[in-house]
Each structure stands twice: as structure tokens, then as C-alpha cells.
Amino acid sequence: MPDDSLTLEDIIVPVDSLHGKVDWTQLFGNDHPVELEIGTGKGTFLINAARVNPQINYLGIEWANKYYKYAADRARRWNLPNVRMLRCDARDFVISHLPSRSLQCLHVYFPDPWPKKRHHKRRLFNNQFVAAAVDSLIPDGCIHVVTDVRDYFQLIKPLLARCSQLQLGDFTPRETAGLGEWVGTNFERKYLAEGRTIYSCSVQKIHDHHD
Ligand SMILES: C[S@@+](CC[C@H](N)C(=O)[O-])C[C@H]1O[C@@H](n2cnc3c(N)ncnc32)[C@H](O)[C@@H]1O
């Protein structure tokens, strides 16, 4: 019987293999729709989403070495050919390597809030990141964001809302979510257990005159 089980090398994308814009068809070996999750942590959302949607390709980015390896190993154990993991700074990746009009969805769940004012510049969401992220979406493509940090959310939502190519919609719980959850990530489960308020928003890219 052929052994079609995956190895870590099938899942991990070495950062030094990136040159210019990513060729999704080459990366995944097919032309299925692509979704990106930034800051996968241990990969709970990414793995569950990839299991439910085998016809969607999922790229996860995580810069913490321990978690990125853990998430990649989970994808290997579940034998998910539609998952790739990349260890790098997601903002650099989005700005430098995401092709225009190619992503079906961008997921950002519980981005690091960097609460100290002098660290705010390290936050993922800024004008440059949002512009590149929006450019990478296909028409009707979405960005989903969930956080427990009110002041960061109050920055993220207007950044997205004032982009003329986006329309704000309601966040509907993802199909990976359990009862009372929005997404079903490890941080969400921890924060819900602590009784924290969770903030969420979804935006969709509108068609322009080129579509
Ligand atoms: C608060 S944790 C949330 C993890 C997961 N999304 C969850 O909800 O359980 C944020 C994660 O994003 C990763 N991260 C933060 N900024 C990043 C960046 N610029 N590029 C890649 N990963 C990043 C961190 O290493 C961390 O694992």
C-alpha cells in the first residue's frame, strides 16, 4: 500500500524559500482557494478549519518557534495536505509576499496587543498592513478579527471601516467554534473562562470597476 502520510517538510515553508510574491499553486500543488491565519499559536483554529474544509488551502504564520513547530506537527499528525506553516513576521510577509487579489480570507485572532504605549508600533494593525491585506483579497474576500483588548479593537475597527474597498459586516461564529465561542482558539477559550468581553469584526472586499 502506498504510504501517503505527510512529513514536517511537506508542511513547513522555509522562510528563505520566499522570493517575491508567493505562488499559491506551487506552494499547495493545486489551485484551491487560499486562507491565511496570522498568529496561529498552537494552531487549534487552523487545524480544525483545515479538517472541516479539505478543499480550502490554509497558510498559518507564527513567529514563536515553539508554537509554529507545534502547529506544524499537529497538521502532520492529522495528515492535512491543505496546511502550510511559515515562521516569520506576518506584517513583513503580508506587505512583501502576498500577491494581489489572491486570498479568500485573512484570519487574525487575538493579535498581540502590546499594551505599553512605546510598544504600539509593534502592533500588527497599521495603515500599511491594512492596505497590503486589502490588496491581497479577492473580491468578496474577508478579514475576520477577534480580540479581548478594547482599546486595540477601537483602533482596528475604524482602520478597516474607513477603507473604501471594504464593507463592515457582522462576525458570524466560525464553523470551528464551540457553543458560545466565536472561533474556538486557545486564547478565546482561556479568556471566555475568565469572563472577559470579546470583540469581533468582519469586513468584506467590495467589487470595483475592474471586476
Ligand atoms: C495572543 S496569541 C494568540 C494565538 C491564537 N491566535 C489564539 O487565539 O489562541 C498571539 C500569537 O501571535 C503571534 N504573533 C504576534 N505577532 C506576530 C507577527 N507579527 N508575526 C507572526 N506571529 C505573530 C504570537 O507569537 C502569538 O503566538
Side-chain angles (χ1 to χ4, degrees):
M1 227 166 69
D3 179 8
D4 61 354
S5 52
L6 296 176
T7 66
L8 274 183
E9 285 70 42
D10 297 317
I11 292 154
I12 287 174
V13 181
V15 71
D16 55 13
S17 71
L18 298 175
H19 303 289
K21 303 290 179 187
V22 174
D23 180 336
W24 296 122
T25 308
Q26 198 178 27
L27 191 76
F28 286 99
N30 59 50
D31 59 3
H32 298 171
V34 179
E35 303 197 1
L36 170 65
E37 186 189 11
I38 290 179
T40 59
K42 291 181 176 174
T44 302
F45 165 74
L46 196 78
I47 300 299
N48 288 335
R51 289 174 57 207
V52 185
N53 301 305
Q55 296 309 314
I56 298 177
N57 293 326
Y58 289 90
L59 173 65
I61 301 184
E62 172 54 59
W63 71 15
N65 193 31
K66 190 169 134 193
Y67 294 137
Y68 130 91
K69 277 197 187 141
Y70 188 90
D73 197 51
R74 279 175 100 178
R76 180 193 64 76
R77 283 184 272 130
W78 281 104
N79 210 33
L80 295 168
N82 56 332
V83 172
R84 297 289 180 278
M85 279 299 302
L86 174 64
R87 182 182 181 216
C88 69
D89 175 13
R91 189 161 47 176
D92 288 350
F93 177 82
V94 166
I95 291 167
S96 305
H97 298 293
L98 268 189
S100 289
R101 299 157 74 92
S102 69
L103 267 195
Q104 172 167 281
C105 195
L106 171 62
H107 305 269
V108 190
Y109 302 131
F110 300 89
D112 283 344
W114 296 105
K116 290 188 180 134
K117 199 156 186 185
R118 69 175 190 279
H119 291 154
H120 280 186
K121 58 180 178 299
R122 298 187 191 171
R123 286 175 163 180
L124 181 69
F125 282 88
N126 63 19
N127 283 319
Q128 199 189 8
F129 170 78
V130 169
V134 172
D135 178 65
S136 77
L137 292 177
I138 58 172
D140 291 334
C142 292
I143 303 175
H144 301 303
V145 185
V146 179
T147 177
D148 61 307
V149 182
R150 193 163 72 119
D151 93 297
Y152 193 19
F153 186 69
Q154 284 172 341
L155 176 138
I156 295 170
K157 195 174 171 183
L159 261 185
L160 295 171
R162 67 172 176 255
C163 177
S164 62
Q165 290 167 279
L166 296 176
Q167 71 184 13
L168 208 53
D170 291 332
F171 189 104
T172 42
R174 304 288 90 211
E175 56 204 326
T176 50
L179 197 64
E181 296 173 348
W182 293 103
V183 191
T185 72
N186 290 36
F187 272 74
E188 181 182 21
R189 288 180 181 151
K190 189 168 103 177
Y191 293 153
L192 282 175
E194 289 173 9
R196 293 197 199 185
T197 304
I198 307 286
Y199 305 90
S200 62
C201 77
S202 281
V203 287
Q204 187 170 35
K205 189 171 182 179
I206 54 181
H207 289 247
D208 59 28
H209 56 278
H210 301 297
D211 304 322

